[in-house]
Amino acid sequence: MIDARQGIGMTSRRTRDRLVQRLIDQGIQNGAVLEQIRNVPRHLFVDEALASRAYEDTALPIGLGQTISQPYVVARMTEALLDGFEGETVLEIGTGCGYQTAVLSPLVKKVYTVERIPELLRKTKQRLRDLDIYNVQFKPGDGWEGWPKYGPYDGIIVTAAPSELPEKLLQQLAPGGRLVIPVGPPGIQDLVKITKRNDHFEQVSLGAVSFVPLVKGK
Ligand code: SAH
């Protein structure tokens, strides 16, 4: 017998376990990241009409022409950002619905996040409060500029794709800091991780991805 009180259904433990297992099968290894994917209620980040698909490993539309990122990509980016991470602060560009923010924020001390659509940001702020997430500071603005006020940052994560690396984000990296960012035009984007060393930037490619563009200007 299935006990309905255990929440068997689209948002159940079993559905989430299946998603986590899929990410493990695809090579995600960081246990804390996997635990976050299991715990963050992704169905609360999408429209109710799409809630039944929230634990599929796929990007979904969230209105205003934007999308919620695919869980695998969120896990991959978070894992890359946190690999050997000893810092405290992370700058996130492209808050969107805040799913990436919710996965990341309990794993670091403080997240500063920038989103260019104020309406989206307002809803996301409320959503994260409802989830008892308090170590996030929000700013409506242009991610190409970063957020100089609180920099430099130990990590920067960008969830929209610029055509080329934004110079200002590189400038806002602390020594040893890392930037995880998709770069390139639609259809041919590469996810890269850039680490700031003493006298140079070290760059590794993490593979092909597909993001909405990082829009230039307001
Ligand atoms: N992080 C989200 C996905 C974000 S989609 C998640 O977890 O699902 C990309 C977001 O980047 C969109 O909300 C879009 O409005 C925003 N964006 C695009 N260009 C931007 C810019 N120049 N500055 C800040 N945000 C930008």
Side-chain angles (χ1 to χ4, degrees):
M1 266 293 275
I2 292 173
D3 184 348
R5 286 167 303 176
Q6 287 177 0
I8 302 297
M10 64 194 184
T11 63
S12 73
R13 178 85 193 174
R14 215 189 314 160
T15 309
R16 296 180 189 206
D17 285 349
R18 211 179 297 133
L19 171 60
V20 168
Q21 188 55 50
R22 194 184 148 107
L23 301 193
I24 293 170
D25 293 345
Q26 290 181 89
I28 303 298
Q29 294 180 358
N30 184 318
V33 171
L34 290 165
E35 210 38 43
Q36 280 300 99
I37 297 284
R38 195 192 312 277
N39 290 336
V40 173
R42 192 168 183 259
H43 61 283
L44 300 182
F45 291 75
V46 298
D47 287 345
E48 234 169 286
L50 288 171
S52 65
R53 301 190 56 198
Y55 297 93
E56 291 175 14
D57 187 24
T58 174
L60 294 168
I62 56 164
L64 298 164
Q66 303 305 325
T67 53
I68 180 171
S69 297
Q70 182 190 356
Y72 170 76
V73 173
V74 171
R76 182 88 177 92
M77 291 178 78
T78 311
E79 183 171 73
L81 185 81
L82 296 181
D83 183 28
F85 187 80
E86 287 174 352
E88 298 188 338
T89 57
V90 174
L91 172 66
E92 177 189 54
I93 305 296
T95 322
C97 64
Y99 179 64
Q100 169 72 70
T101 327
V103 168
L104 173 66
S105 57
L107 306 179
V108 298
K109 188 156 182 214
K110 180 95 191 188
V111 177
Y112 298 87
T113 189
V114 179
E115 165 61 51
R116 67 180 284 276
I117 304 177
E119 188 186 339
L120 204 52
L121 196 61
R122 260 197 310 278
K123 286 190 191 152
T124 296
K125 240 183 197 173
Q126 187 57 50
R127 181 181 292 120
L128 296 184
R129 295 260 147 79
D130 291 345
L131 293 171
D132 290 332
I133 293 171
Y134 300 112
N135 62 333
V136 180
Q137 202 154 325
F138 305 84
K139 175 178 141 96
D142 178 9
W144 283 88
E145 300 296 318
W147 193 350
K149 185 171 176 190
Y150 297 104
Y153 301 94
D154 302 312
I156 302 180
I157 183 167
V158 184
T159 66
S163 43
E164 77 256 18
L165 280 173
E167 189 57 39
K168 296 208 173 136
L169 296 185
L170 292 172
Q171 288 167 5
Q172 288 169 40
L173 269 184
R178 60 280 305 279
L179 165 64
V180 177
I181 183 168
V183 186
I188 29 174
Q189 296 163 4
D190 189 24
L191 184 63
V192 298
K193 177 176 177 179
I194 292 160
T195 308
K196 182 174 178 163
R197 302 296 181 199
N198 286 335
D199 53 356
H200 71 289
F201 289 100
E202 181 186 297
Q203 178 165 337
V204 293
S205 169
L206 304 176
V209 282
S210 178
F211 278 87
V212 299
L214 187 72
V215 177
K216 263 219 158 119
K218 283 249 168 184

